Amino acid sequence: IVLLSEPVLWLFFLVFFLSSNIKDLKDVAGDNLSNIYTLPVIFGEQKARRIIAFLIFCSYLFYIVQY
């Protein structure tokens, strides 16, 4: 068993958390009908794609800065 350092675990959590918004792009119509407020519903699909891309970029940037 390999134990990871705390900063690496935080990085994994951050990348997973920020990139999990990608799944919201699949069901914008259903989220609208169900009144579920996701990034694509609030900002529109195109702007949400840019926001999600920026968040993913930031998560990798944090990785580079950390080491």
Side-chain angles (χ1 to χ4, degrees):
I1 297 176
V2 176
L3 295 177
L4 300 174
S5 66
E6 186 176 342
V8 172
L9 291 175
W10 278 109
L11 174 69
F12 284 145
F13 171 75
L14 186 66
V15 169
F16 175 76
F17 178 73
L18 294 178
S19 62
S20 65
N21 290 307
I22 292 173
K23 298 293 250 177
D24 293 337
L25 293 169
K26 289 185 176 183
D27 192 28
V28 178
D31 289 345
N32 268 326
L33 290 173
S34 302
N35 291 324
I36 298 173
Y37 299 106
T38 59
L39 287 177
V41 170
I42 295 169
F43 296 108
E45 247 184 284
Q46 199 61 23
K47 193 169 186 178
R49 286 180 191 274
R50 290 187 185 122
I51 292 170
I52 292 167
F54 176 74
L55 292 174
I56 292 171
F57 172 76
C58 286
S59 69
Y60 287 106
L61 186 65
F62 292 147
Y63 174 75
I64 294 169
V65 169
Q66 198 171 38
Y67 291 99

